[in-house]
Amino acid sequence: RTCALWPTHQLFPRAEESATNYFMTLSRVFLITSLTSHLCLVLPFSWGLVFQTTRSKLFHHSKERITSLKSATVSTVSQGDVLVSLFGSAEACDKFFEKDFGKNVFHRRRKFSDSPSPLDTISIQDLYDTSKYISLRKRGSFDYLNKTEMSFDDFSDYIIGGGSAVIPVDKGNGDSALIPLKESIEMSLSREVGINVYHSGPSAVALNRHYDSYDVLVLQIDGEKEWEVCIDNIEWTNITMIPGDVLYIPKGIEHAATTAAGFDSTTHATIGLPDL
């Protein structure tokens, strides 16, 4: 009874404060719970938007990157095809550049399983019609073909009589059908090259024994040709070239070519290579 007369805040001095703190804590818990429940609904949606946007940007960037890489790959392959065709296979091409280029005389006979030659046919008539300059050769002698004085029939008779013609493939020499081949090889090697077409009659020798100041690749196109090559500038060896064959002669190596016996004409192309 005596205790009932005492004010509550004096009998229990911390009771009122505790009650206040209790209700404040309760309110905070309620507020936090309410916010959390809302965030649980909002955050997944918000983060989903952020993730989707980021993923979209990354995918778009990756797609551009992949497209770019594919384009580069296709471009590289298309440029490299002409060399693979020239040597018959990618393996033969790689082996040549790794082991023989700049070192050894190299002769490869085209196999039945090889890819088609990049130049298996050629029209001498078209070369005659489209070329501004054609040099006439007989065992080292030199003259320019004058179309006003030598028709194509006269030119054919000159070849049949044992003569040879050297026809440069270059835009400056006319709109030859072989210009795309020249450009493809240049793109593959990232260098300019010089291409000449040699068309010779029976037993013809366009040039006597000589050497070049640049490496040469020879592609036999029509007929057969006998080559003399001085290996290591010590020993001469004979190489018979048939259509599709490739011959590589490093600079400084003496050589000469003659139309093989039994053939009325023969045609080959030389590709002059710069230092790579």
Side-chain angles (χ1 to χ4, degrees), residues 12-267:
F12 305 100
R14 306 290 299 177
E16 190 175 50
E17 183 179 347
S18 297
T20 302
N21 290 339
Y22 171 76
F23 285 110
M24 289 181 65
T25 300
L26 208 63
S27 299
R28 288 171 183 168
V29 170
F30 176 78
L31 179 61
I32 291 172
T33 302
S34 178
L35 287 173
T36 302
S37 63
H38 281 80
L39 285 174
C40 287
L41 295 174
V42 174
L43 279 177
F45 178 74
S46 301
W47 280 110
L49 286 178
V50 172
F51 175 77
Q52 185 65 28
T53 303
T54 305
R55 179 179 178 275
S56 177
K57 289 181 178 179
L58 288 173
F59 177 78
H60 182 65
H61 175 74
S62 299
K63 190 175 181 181
E64 290 180 340
R65 177 64 175 165
I66 291 171
T67 302
S68 176
L69 288 173
K70 282 184 177 179
S71 298
T73 303
V74 170
S75 177
T76 302
V77 170
S78 64
Q79 291 174 19
D81 277 348
V82 67
L83 292 180
V84 171
S85 297
L86 184 65
F87 287 93
S89 69
E91 182 181 0
C93 181
D94 292 341
K95 184 178 179 180
F96 163 74
F97 280 103
E98 289 173 5
K99 297 184 177 181
D100 297 299
F101 182 74
K103 302 173 185 176
N104 310 308
V105 172
F106 170 88
H107 172 226
R108 186 174 193 276
R109 179 140 293 170
R110 189 165 294 273
K111 300 176 181 178
F112 180 77
S113 59
D114 286 347
S115 58
S117 170
L119 186 60
D120 54 3
T121 58
I122 194 169
S123 171
I124 300 300
Q125 172 83 63
D126 287 345
L127 286 177
Y128 173 89
D129 292 338
T130 59
S131 299
K132 299 177 182 177
Y133 307 103
I134 297 175
S135 63
L136 304 176
R137 303 271 188 163
K138 273 190 179 181
R139 294 191 176 274
S141 67
F142 172 84
D143 197 6
Y144 277 117
L145 184 153
N146 186 338
K147 292 183 182 180
T148 60
E149 298 177 357
M150 183 179 281
S151 65
F152 181 72
D153 288 339
D154 294 333
F155 171 71
S156 298
D157 290 340
Y158 170 81
I159 297 297
I160 293 173
S164 296
V166 182
I167 309 170
V169 176
D170 188 86
K171 286 184 177 179
N173 192 36
D175 189 21
S176 169
L178 301 183
I179 292 294
L181 173 65
K182 180 178 185 292
E183 293 176 341
S184 295
I185 294 174
E186 289 176 338
M187 289 179 66
S188 294
L189 298 175
S190 298
R191 297 286 192 283
E192 289 188 5
V193 301
I195 297 182
N196 290 316
V197 173
Y198 286 73
H199 182 57
S200 303
S203 304
V205 177
L207 302 172
N208 294 321
R209 287 180 175 179
H210 68 286
Y211 65 86
D212 296 305
S213 59
Y214 47 84
D215 296 344
V216 176
L217 275 174
V218 182
L219 176 63
Q220 187 67 23
I221 302 169
D222 184 60
E224 293 185 12
K225 186 154 283 187
E226 298 288 346
W227 286 77
E228 294 181 291
V229 182
C230 189
I231 305 297
D232 296 327
N233 288 322
I234 297 175
E235 180 182 357
W236 286 88
T237 187
N238 295 324
I239 298 173
T240 301
M241 296 277 286
I242 66 175
D245 280 11
V246 175
L247 176 65
Y248 168 72
I249 304 174
K251 61 183 179 181
I253 298 295
E254 285 192 88
H255 58 275
T258 307
T259 302
F263 288 86
D264 293 333
S265 67
T266 180
T267 308

Side-chain angles (χ1 to χ4, degrees), residues 1-12:
R1 187 177 294 186
T2 303
C3 292
L5 296 176
W6 287 86
T8 305
H9 70 278
Q10 291 182 10
L11 287 174
F12 305 100

